[in-house]
Amino acid sequence: MAADRTGRNGRRTALFLQCTDASRYPPILNAAAMMADAGWKVAVLNSPPGDDAPIQSGPHPGVTHLATRTRQGNAVRAPEYATYLAHAIALAARLRPGVIYASDPLSALPALLAARASGAAIVYHEHDSPPPGSLRPFLARRRAAVARRARLVIAPNEDRGRLMSAELGFAQDRLRIVWNLPRQAELPTLGCRGGETLTLYYHGSITPDRLPLALAEAVARLGGAVRLRIVGYEVPGARGYVEQLLQLGRRADGQRLVEYGGAASRAGLLSLSAGADIGLALMPLTSDDLNLRHMVGASNKAFDYMASGLPLLVSDLHDWREAFVAPGFARACNPTDPDSMVEALRWFGGHESERRDMARRARAKIEADWNYDHAFAPIVASLSEVVR
């Protein structure tokens, strides 16, 4: 039976909890915005870290963002966690939400306590899964509890959903898969492309896994036929890595073929990508990180590039070939082998008509159904049935 949780103003209310800054996570912003567009009153409680990662998107008029005090770094210390817990419980008691939407393991305990204070249903949407055994036992138990208590558990792809279900023990019929897709309103106006030099484009966090040195070496070998444009920010463990890419990506006469544009907002990223020719979505061929092993659907990069009308260069992995190469959106390469990357980039340069066809197919797929509006609509409908 659906619960009457509309509150005094007759609107359904949802409280989003993630123990970081949700404005850096497009899927959280998209989910909150779509619920607000459907008539929900939405509040998001943030715990902003004191780092320099860029804000991904501006505010939505139907979503209220609230925050605890900015932390000194990325780590959440015990006093800061206690503060977040207290804020979550107080907000739930005041707002009386029909839905608590939790989005990371640290939000599990706040979600459970906030739901107890308000009688709300819980949605657990895990974007990055912790490796087995990596969480402290207390947090691991709360993560399992929130997943078993949740009306819906959302995973970014089927593989992670299957692993979560096996590890956490929630019922399979509550699992939903929602890829990390752009919204239709985000699709940028396509720019004019042309010229003899192809522009490779990458945006996001900058690490050796995502932008291997072999890429800069391949660009240098092509002697000016290809340029690489990087927009994003170095993660704490990769400080100085951009300079390595800049130094390696030079023509024989010293001219730089790799350019770095710094960080940008999400709207800026999509606008910049629309002026490039090929989008880079490279993953390591082997990894101990289960998130990196299961990134199709979880990584927004490929979909962002497709939204900007770009064909893709992806790693030669089975799931990436199946999702992007087989339908005609991408070419694959070995990201650790400069020869393999040179071969793929020469194909793009020598097959202009095929490259443009790939770009058109990619954009059309995003417009048709690979967008968050299409993927998340069943979640909004389901929650609207639960909470009346």
Side-chain angles (χ1 to χ4, degrees):
M1 180 180 295
D4 183 1
R5 305 294 300 160
T6 55
R8 294 178 182 176
N9 59 7
R11 295 176 63 190
R12 301 179 180 95
T13 301
L15 174 59
F16 279 65
L17 299 177
Q18 188 183 35
C19 204
T20 184
D21 190 343
S23 66
R24 300 173 183 182
Y25 291 83
I28 300 176
L29 298 176
N30 289 341
M34 284 187 63
M35 292 184 73
D37 289 343
W40 289 69
K41 179 181 178 181
V42 180
V44 182
L45 179 61
N46 300 290
S47 175
D51 59 22
D52 56 359
I55 301 302
Q56 289 296 318
S57 183
H60 184 283
V63 179
T64 300
H65 280 263
L66 305 166
T68 58
R69 182 177 298 179
T70 300
R71 306 195 306 269
Q72 293 183 356
N74 282 314
V76 181
R77 299 174 301 177
E80 295 165 334
Y81 194 51
T83 297
Y84 190 84
L85 276 171
H87 277 73
I89 296 167
L91 265 177
R94 176 166 62 86
L95 297 177
R96 303 293 294 173
V99 168
I100 302 291
Y101 198 106
S103 298
D104 67 345
L106 281 176
S107 70
L109 179 58
L112 290 166
L113 296 179
R116 181 182 298 174
S118 61
I122 294 176
V123 174
Y124 185 57
H125 187 167
E126 190 167 273
H127 306 286
D128 296 306
S129 298
S134 65
L135 289 178
R136 293 180 179 179
F138 175 83
L139 289 176
R141 289 194 296 270
R142 299 311 177 276
R143 174 179 175 245
V146 81
R148 291 194 293 266
R149 163 81 165 74
R151 293 289 186 94
L152 298 176
V153 178
I154 305 174
N157 59 41
E158 291 81 358
D159 289 332
R160 288 200 207 172
R162 184 182 67 254
L163 292 170
M164 286 174 62
S165 178
E167 180 184 2
L168 302 180
F170 59 85
Q172 279 282 340
D173 62 358
R174 286 188 251 152
L175 178 63
R176 303 291 185 273
I177 305 301
V178 179
W179 284 3
N180 189 358
L181 302 162
R183 292 202 68 184
Q184 289 176 320
E186 294 183 289
L187 270 61
T189 301
L190 300 185
C192 296
R193 302 185 178 102
E196 296 181 0
T197 301
L198 292 178
T199 300
L200 304 179
Y201 177 81
Y202 173 88
H203 69 225
S205 57
I206 298 169
T207 72
D209 282 335
R210 306 297 181 87
L211 282 172
L213 292 176
L215 172 63
E217 184 178 340
V219 169
R221 284 191 195 180
L222 290 167
V226 172
R227 300 183 67 87
L228 169 61
R229 180 180 301 150
I230 303 168
V231 180
Y233 59 98
E234 294 176 326
V235 300
R239 302 297 188 194
Y241 187 64
V242 167
E243 186 58 31
Q244 293 183 56
L245 293 168
L246 295 176
Q247 293 300 326
L248 187 58
R250 290 177 180 269
R251 210 164 62 175
D253 60 6
Q255 180 184 351
R256 283 190 172 183
L257 300 173
V258 177
E259 60 184 70
Y260 175 52
S265 68
R266 179 160 174 78
L269 296 176
L270 294 172
S271 177
L272 288 168
S273 62
D277 296 291
I278 302 163
L280 294 169
L282 302 175
M283 296 292 155
L285 297 184
T286 60
S287 176
D288 294 331
D289 186 329
L290 71 87
N291 293 302
L292 288 179
R293 293 200 304 271
H294 306 293
M295 283 296 282
V296 170
S299 173
N300 66 300
K301 291 179 180 58
F303 306 119
D304 288 350
Y305 304 148
M306 292 173 66
S308 299
L310 304 187
L312 310 175
L313 180 60
V314 303
S315 295
D316 192 10
L317 293 162
H318 173 74
D319 52 347
W320 285 81
R321 290 196 307 270
E322 189 175 68
F324 298 106
V325 178
F329 309 136
R331 301 281 293 183
C333 68
N334 180 342
T336 65
D337 182 1
D339 291 336
S340 175
M341 303 190 85
V342 166
E343 180 182 359
L345 294 173
R346 280 181 173 154
W347 184 92
F348 280 115
H351 296 80
E352 181 178 357
S353 176
E354 291 93 331
R355 187 180 79 241
R356 294 187 184 278
D357 285 343
M358 292 170 71
R360 284 191 287 269
R361 284 194 296 271
R363 171 72 173 222
K365 184 61 175 175
I366 297 293
E367 291 174 340
D369 56 6
W370 278 11
N371 57 76
Y372 216 82
D373 306 74
H374 179 84
F376 198 72
I379 305 297
V380 176
S382 179
L383 294 177
S384 297
E385 285 296 314
V386 169
V387 182
R388 291 180 178 172

